[in-house]
Amino acid sequence: MTSNIKNTLTLPAQNSHLHVVSDKLAALFAQAGLSSYDDLLYNVQLAVQEICANIVKHAYAESESAEIHITLEITGQPLQVLVETRDWGKPFNTNDAPEPDLDQPQVHGYGLFLARQLMDQVLYHRDGDQNIWELQLAISD
Amino acid sequence: MVKKKYIVSETMVVKLSERVDTFSAPELRAYFDELLEQGTRNFIIDLDEVSFLDSAGLAALVQLLKHARQAGGDVGVVLPENENVQRIFKLTKFDRVFNIFTTVSAATGAV
């Protein structure tokens, strides 16, 4: 396994482009010799997909000219996956994303919940005009 | 996304494949709405060849379930052997809301 691999990409903030992040994460895992960690890869792919989909829908309200800047990194000893997204949309408001009541099935509202379930840590902060999401997952058997 | 559809014992089997996600979900919702408008009430959604399911894809299935049950029907889901998609159903507890099957033949006998 190889540590300290980093990849950055800038995507148009459109749902049609989000699969690219999944592909880049798969390439990063392969490059790091982590191809057998399918379940962890899927967790990260889905968590990042949910964060980016929320950015497209809520932060940018589906504005077509917007962008998402994404940094993907496998680093550290023990190994961990770090993902950071930056966007220039509306600030995230926690009150707009209540935790779903799992005993009362609903159609929407599971995206951020899933990201938090699948990663060890999902953090949000605002830096000037930027929204920054930081996701972290330890790579363990 | 929708690979094929066919009818078994008055149940519409819809086989999906690859990514069922925030990009494909609007088209999938429209597809389900059309089938409901045509009078279909009982569905089996075969996810065996689905490699990626996000919350928007899940929402399309939940909305179908809601509409089908309102119309007196039901929706069964065939989950892939791949545990990744199964995990999403378990985390959201939708494995308790949908009738879950491992094969289409098991599902068509039950809906």
Side-chain angles (χ1 to χ4, degrees), chain B residues 58-99:
Chain B
L58 187 62
L61 302 182
V62 175
Q63 188 165 297
L64 172 66
L65 178 73
K66 191 176 161 187
H67 291 162
R69 285 188 177 166
Q70 280 170 353
D74 209 346
V75 179
V77 172
V78 176
L79 289 180
E81 282 186 32
N82 179 329
E83 289 181 5
N84 291 329
V85 172
Q86 291 185 23
R87 195 178 317 130
I88 307 313
F89 275 79
K90 285 178 185 161
L91 283 172
T92 54
K93 293 192 179 177
F94 279 113
D95 59 336
R96 301 180 191 177
V97 177
F98 286 95
N99 297 313

Side-chain angles (χ1 to χ4, degrees), chain A residues 22-37:
Chain A
S22 289
D23 298 342
K24 294 286 185 189
L25 276 164
L28 197 75
F29 267 60
Q31 194 183 344
L34 299 170
S35 297
S36 61
Y37 289 70

Side-chain angles (χ1 to χ4, degrees), chain A residues 15-16 18-19 22-23 38-39 42-43 45-46 49-50 53 102-103 105-108 110-111 113-114 117-118, chain B residues 19 21-23 29 51-56 58-60 62-63 66 84-85 87-88 91-94 96-97:
Chain A
N15 289 329
S16 57
L18 299 189
H19 69 93
S22 289
D23 298 342
D38 278 350
D39 52 344
Y42 189 86
N43 287 355
Q45 287 173 322
L46 182 53
Q49 167 88 7
E50 298 292 354
L102 299 182
D103 295 320
Q106 57 197 57
V107 177
H108 298 290
Y110 293 93
F113 165 80
L114 281 173
Q117 290 289 316
L118 297 170
Chain B
R19 291 178 70 94
D21 65 3
T22 189
F23 178 55
R29 282 201 306 270
S51 59
F52 188 89
L53 176 75
D54 72 3
S55 66
L58 187 62
V62 175
Q63 188 165 297
K66 191 176 161 187
N84 291 329
V85 172
R87 195 178 317 130
I88 307 313
L91 283 172
T92 54
K93 293 192 179 177
F94 279 113
R96 301 180 191 177
V97 177

Side-chain angles (χ1 to χ4, degrees), chain A residues 51-89:
Chain A
I51 296 297
C52 290
N54 277 347
I55 292 169
V56 171
K57 186 174 182 182
H58 299 295
Y60 284 132
E62 309 200 6
S63 159
E64 288 193 359
S65 59
E67 289 183 336
I68 308 173
H69 186 82
I70 303 169
T71 303
L72 312 170
E73 192 173 6
I74 293 176
T75 187
Q77 195 57 255
L79 277 181
Q80 57 181 336
V81 188
L82 302 175
V83 178
E84 181 193 87
T85 70
R86 286 176 182 260
D87 69 81
W88 291 260

Side-chain angles (χ1 to χ4, degrees), chain B residues 17-77:
Chain B
S17 64
E18 301 175 13
R19 291 178 70 94
V20 179
D21 65 3
T22 189
F23 178 55
S24 59
E27 188 184 331
L28 187 59
R29 282 201 306 270
Y31 183 79
F32 288 152
D33 286 348
E34 194 179 322
L35 291 174
L36 284 160
E37 280 170 20
Q38 290 167 0
T40 306
R41 294 292 173 262
N42 290 311
F43 296 80
I44 297 298
I45 309 302
D46 181 1
L47 302 180
D48 189 46
E49 292 184 15
V50 168
S51 59
F52 188 89
L53 176 75
D54 72 3
S55 66
L58 187 62
L61 302 182
V62 175
Q63 188 165 297
L64 172 66
L65 178 73
K66 191 176 161 187
H67 291 162
R69 285 188 177 166
Q70 280 170 353
D74 209 346
V75 179
V77 172

